[in-house]
Amino acid sequence: MDDLTRDAFLGGLVQLLQPRVGYRAGVDPVLLAASVPAQAGQSVLDLGCGVGAAALCLGARIAGLSLTGVEMQAEYAQLAARNGGGRLEVVVADLNDLPADLRERQFDHVMANPPYFDRKAGLSGQNAAREAALGEATPLAVWIKVAAKRVKPKGQVHFIHRAERIPQILEALPDHMGSIEILPISPRIGRAAELVILRARKNGRAAFKLHAPLILHEGARHLRDGDSYAPRIKAILRDGTALDF
């Protein structure tokens, strides 16, 4: 256990074992999970599930979901299975080579927190696990293609990603993915959005929606020690409330 930490999410409702060194789940998968409007009895697929943060936070908010995660790194997949305690089915696989039985299944919701950075445009990190989580080895277009294939008709896909990657996400979405909505996420009032949550519906026909930004922190700048999360964000991170948009 010396190389692992146990971290509390949703005010302690979710407890996750994570590597002490390397990629560690933070706020982003919690926001992603909060944005998924799943209902009891539905199925959810988390692509690149890591230690299970998004899937287990979603399962803690909505009882009665069938949760499946795909993770390429065996160490993280094993931790996700341990963290899930039987609530999360974990498949160790590369998105480019999913097992045949998984390729035959479709889900009501597919969510993903793909690696943010294109390593062809920058330097790789030194920690292999963190690099695999943050550095884009599998092209973003593949994540989107797989999500669109694995979602049921009328089901939704949900991504959290860097704002500057919006054009690539939109370009990669197949034509049958419609009813696109984008929620910009800004660190503070007056600051440009750094992240976005994007959702789309299979065979959806609603008009495109660009929502008002979600502001993470109170005030125009950081003035004191400790967190300064806005009340809505505190409710999501600590109480497990939904992120409706």
Side-chain angles (χ1 to χ4, degrees):
M1 289 290 293
D2 287 346
D3 58 343
L4 299 176
T5 63
R6 182 179 295 274
D7 301 291
F9 290 75
L10 305 186
L13 190 60
V14 174
Q15 300 281 335
L16 297 180
L17 292 172
Q18 302 195 80
R20 189 178 300 276
V21 178
Y23 174 76
R24 293 171 55 80
V27 171
D28 298 359
V30 183
L31 294 175
L32 174 64
S35 75
V36 179
Q39 300 178 11
Q42 290 188 327
S43 57
V44 180
L45 176 63
D46 184 3
L47 299 177
C49 68
V51 299
L56 295 175
C57 285
L58 178 57
R61 178 168 63 86
I62 303 169
L65 296 177
S66 174
L67 301 171
T68 302
V70 174
E71 175 53 48
M72 180 177 66
Q73 298 186 80
E75 176 187 4
Y76 284 83
Q78 291 168 4
L79 287 173
R82 288 177 64 184
N83 290 329
R87 294 168 294 161
L88 174 62
E89 173 194 7
V90 182
V91 178
V92 183
D94 190 310
L95 294 187
N96 287 299
D97 188 24
L98 294 179
D101 59 337
L102 189 58
R103 294 200 305 270
E104 295 174 356
R105 296 164 60 187
Q106 289 188 313
F107 300 80
D108 296 293
H109 297 276
V110 180
M111 60 181 177
N113 180 185
Y116 286 159
F117 302 106
D118 184 350
R119 289 312 184 198
K120 292 180 292 185
L123 299 175
S124 297
Q126 294 181 348
N127 180 274
R130 181 176 174 82
E131 170 63 21
L134 295 178
E136 183 182 300
T138 301
L140 180 57
V142 173
W143 289 78
I144 295 166
K145 177 182 177 182
V146 172
K149 281 189 174 182
R150 299 279 62 80
V151 71
K152 293 179 180 180
K154 301 299 182 182
Q156 291 179 309
V157 299
H158 318 260
F159 298 97
I160 187 167
H161 215 292
R162 299 285 300 177
E164 63 263 28
R165 305 296 296 276
I166 290 175
Q168 293 166 274
I169 296 173
L170 293 176
E171 182 180 8
L173 277 172
D175 291 340
H176 62 261
M177 299 302 300
S179 303
I180 298 168
E181 300 181 60
I182 293 178
L183 175 67
I185 302 175
S186 176
R188 294 187 184 276
I189 294 172
R191 297 273 297 275
E194 295 180 358
L195 298 175
V196 296
I197 294 176
L198 182 147
R199 75 163 55 124
R201 186 181 297 276
K202 196 166 194 174
N203 302 324
R205 297 183 178 181
F208 173 84
K209 291 182 180 179
L210 177 63
H211 293 269
L214 178 70
I215 308 298
L216 294 183
H217 299 277
E218 294 183 304
R221 63 184 188 277
H222 187 70
L223 297 175
R224 55 181 172 80
D225 292 338
D227 73 61
S228 57
Y229 287 120
R232 185 182 182 190
I233 303 303
K234 286 182 181 178
I236 293 168
L237 299 181
R238 298 174 183 173
D239 303 326
T241 61
L243 173 52
D244 295 318
F245 72 94

PDB file of all heavy atoms in Angstrom, residues 1-6 17-18 20 79 82:
ATOM      1  N   MET A   1       0.810  -1.212   0.000  1.00  0.00           N
ATOM      2  CA  MET A   1       0.000   0.000   0.000  1.00  0.00           C
ATOM      3  C   MET A   1       0.846   1.266   0.000  1.00  0.00           C
ATOM      4  O   MET A   1       0.328   2.355  -0.181  1.00  0.00           O
ATOM      5  CB  MET A   1      -0.928   0.014   1.215  1.00  0.00           C
ATOM      6  CG  MET A   1      -2.072  -0.995   1.133  1.00  0.00           C
ATOM      7  SD  MET A   1      -3.280  -0.519  -0.140  1.00  0.00           S
ATOM      8  CE  MET A   1      -3.961   0.968   0.595  1.00  0.00           C
ATOM      9  N   ASP A   2       2.168   1.145   0.208  1.00  0.00           N
ATOM     10  CA  ASP A   2       3.007   2.346   0.258  1.00  0.00           C
ATOM     11  C   ASP A   2       2.992   3.096  -1.061  1.00  0.00           C
ATOM     12  O   ASP A   2       3.186   4.310  -1.095  1.00  0.00           O
ATOM     13  CB  ASP A   2       4.443   1.973   0.625  1.00  0.00           C
ATOM     14  CG  ASP A   2       4.569   1.589   2.098  1.00  0.00           C
ATOM     15  OD1 ASP A   2       3.621   1.880   2.859  1.00  0.00           O
ATOM     16  OD2 ASP A   2       5.592   1.002   2.458  1.00  0.00           O
ATOM     17  N   ASP A   3       2.780   2.368  -2.172  1.00  0.00           N
ATOM     18  CA  ASP A   3       2.788   3.019  -3.476  1.00  0.00           C
ATOM     19  C   ASP A   3       1.392   3.453  -3.909  1.00  0.00           C
ATOM     20  O   ASP A   3       1.199   3.923  -5.025  1.00  0.00           O
ATOM     21  CB  ASP A   3       3.395   2.097  -4.531  1.00  0.00           C
ATOM     22  CG  ASP A   3       2.654   0.770  -4.651  1.00  0.00           C
ATOM     23  OD1 ASP A   3       1.883   0.435  -3.717  1.00  0.00           O
ATOM     24  OD2 ASP A   3       2.846   0.073  -5.662  1.00  0.00           O
ATOM     25  N   LEU A   4       0.402   3.294  -3.001  1.00  0.00           N
ATOM     26  CA  LEU A   4      -0.970   3.681  -3.301  1.00  0.00           C
ATOM     27  C   LEU A   4      -1.491   4.642  -2.245  1.00  0.00           C
ATOM     28  O   LEU A   4      -1.023   4.653  -1.113  1.00  0.00           O
ATOM     29  CB  LEU A   4      -1.896   2.451  -3.338  1.00  0.00           C
ATOM     30  CG  LEU A   4      -1.601   1.360  -4.359  1.00  0.00           C
ATOM     31  CD1 LEU A   4      -2.564   0.200  -4.173  1.00  0.00           C
ATOM     32  CD2 LEU A   4      -1.688   1.898  -5.780  1.00  0.00           C
ATOM     33  N   THR A   5      -2.446   5.445  -2.640  1.00  0.00           N
ATOM     34  CA  THR A   5      -3.177   6.279  -1.685  1.00  0.00           C
ATOM     35  C   THR A   5      -4.654   5.935  -1.792  1.00  0.00           C
ATOM     36  O   THR A   5      -5.120   5.440  -2.822  1.00  0.00           O
ATOM     37  CB  THR A   5      -2.989   7.780  -1.965  1.00  0.00           C
ATOM     38  OG1 THR A   5      -3.536   8.103  -3.252  1.00  0.00           O
ATOM     39  CG2 THR A   5      -1.506   8.150  -1.945  1.00  0.00           C
ATOM     40  N   ARG A   6      -5.381   6.174  -0.713  1.00  0.00           N
ATOM     41  CA  ARG A   6      -6.836   6.035  -0.738  1.00  0.00           C
ATOM     42  C   ARG A   6      -7.427   7.438  -0.649  1.00  0.00           C
ATOM     43  O   ARG A   6      -7.213   8.146   0.326  1.00  0.00           O
ATOM     44  CB  ARG A   6      -7.337   5.173   0.416  1.00  0.00           C
ATOM     45  CG  ARG A   6      -8.854   4.959   0.395  1.00  0.00           C
ATOM     46  CD  ARG A   6      -9.310   4.081   1.556  1.00  0.00           C
ATOM     47  NE  ARG A   6      -8.778   2.753   1.439  1.00  0.00           N
ATOM     48  CZ  ARG A   6      -9.329   1.774   0.743  1.00  0.00           C
ATOM     49  NH1 ARG A   6     -10.446   2.016   0.054  1.00  0.00           N
ATOM     50  NH2 ARG A   6      -8.792   0.585   0.699  1.00  0.00           N
ATOM     51  N   LEU A  17      -8.546   3.800  -4.518  1.00  0.00           N
ATOM     52  CA  LEU A  17      -7.111   3.547  -4.459  1.00  0.00           C
ATOM     53  C   LEU A  17      -6.487   4.062  -5.738  1.00  0.00           C
ATOM     54  O   LEU A  17      -6.978   3.775  -6.838  1.00  0.00           O
ATOM     55  CB  LEU A  17      -6.838   2.046  -4.312  1.00  0.00           C
ATOM     56  CG  LEU A  17      -7.249   1.402  -2.987  1.00  0.00           C
ATOM     57  CD1 LEU A  17      -7.103  -0.118  -3.085  1.00  0.00           C
ATOM     58  CD2 LEU A  17      -6.404   1.939  -1.839  1.00  0.00           C
ATOM     59  N   GLN A  18      -5.393   4.834  -5.595  1.00  0.00           N
ATOM     60  CA  GLN A  18      -4.702   5.386  -6.752  1.00  0.00           C
ATOM     61  C   GLN A  18      -3.196   5.253  -6.563  1.00  0.00           C
ATOM     62  O   GLN A  18      -2.716   5.267  -5.418  1.00  0.00           O
ATOM     63  CB  GLN A  18      -5.020   6.876  -6.921  1.00  0.00           C
ATOM     64  CG  GLN A  18      -6.466   7.227  -7.074  1.00  0.00           C
ATOM     65  CD  GLN A  18      -6.631   8.643  -7.595  1.00  0.00           C
ATOM     66  OE1 GLN A  18      -6.508   8.907  -8.787  1.00  0.00           O
ATOM     67  NE2 GLN A  18      -6.885   9.584  -6.701  1.00  0.00           N
ATOM     68  N   ARG A  20       0.416   6.428  -6.001  1.00  0.00           N
ATOM     69  CA  ARG A  20       0.939   7.645  -5.373  1.00  0.00           C
ATOM     70  C   ARG A  20       1.668   8.512  -6.395  1.00  0.00           C
ATOM     71  O   ARG A  20       1.651   9.750  -6.321  1.00  0.00           O
ATOM     72  CB  ARG A  20       1.896   7.257  -4.235  1.00  0.00           C
ATOM     73  CG  ARG A  20       2.337   8.430  -3.352  1.00  0.00           C
ATOM     74  CD  ARG A  20       3.237   7.941  -2.230  1.00  0.00           C
ATOM     75  NE  ARG A  20       2.561   6.980  -1.375  1.00  0.00           N
ATOM     76  CZ  ARG A  20       1.761   7.306  -0.356  1.00  0.00           C
ATOM     77  NH1 ARG A  20       1.524   8.571  -0.075  1.00  0.00           N
ATOM     78  NH2 ARG A  20       1.207   6.354   0.378  1.00  0.00           N
ATOM     79  N   LEU A  79      -6.833  -1.685 -10.317  1.00  0.00           N
ATOM     80  CA  LEU A  79      -7.299  -0.790  -9.258  1.00  0.00           C
ATOM     81  C   LEU A  79      -8.768  -0.432  -9.465  1.00  0.00           C
ATOM     82  O   LEU A  79      -9.532  -0.336  -8.495  1.00  0.00           O
ATOM     83  CB  LEU A  79      -6.446   0.474  -9.217  1.00  0.00           C
ATOM     84  CG  LEU A  79      -5.029   0.304  -8.665  1.00  0.00           C
ATOM     85  CD1 LEU A  79      -4.233   1.598  -8.831  1.00  0.00           C
ATOM     86  CD2 LEU A  79      -5.059  -0.118  -7.196  1.00  0.00           C
ATOM     87  N   ARG A  82     -10.758  -3.272  -8.160  1.00  0.00           N
ATOM     88  CA  ARG A  82     -10.747  -3.264  -6.690  1.00  0.00           C
ATOM     89  C   ARG A  82     -11.634  -2.155  -6.139  1.00  0.00           C
ATOM     90  O   ARG A  82     -12.417  -2.371  -5.212  1.00  0.00           O
ATOM     91  CB  ARG A  82      -9.319  -3.089  -6.171  1.00  0.00           C
ATOM     92  CG  ARG A  82      -8.422  -4.292  -6.354  1.00  0.00           C
ATOM     93  CD  ARG A  82      -7.005  -4.007  -5.881  1.00  0.00           C
ATOM     94  NE  ARG A  82      -6.947  -3.734  -4.439  1.00  0.00           N
ATOM     95  CZ  ARG A  82      -5.832  -3.384  -3.795  1.00  0.00           C
ATOM     96  NH1 ARG A  82      -4.691  -3.267  -4.460  1.00  0.00           N
ATOM     97  NH2 ARG A  82      -5.862  -3.169  -2.494  1.00  0.00           N
TER      98      ARG A  82
END
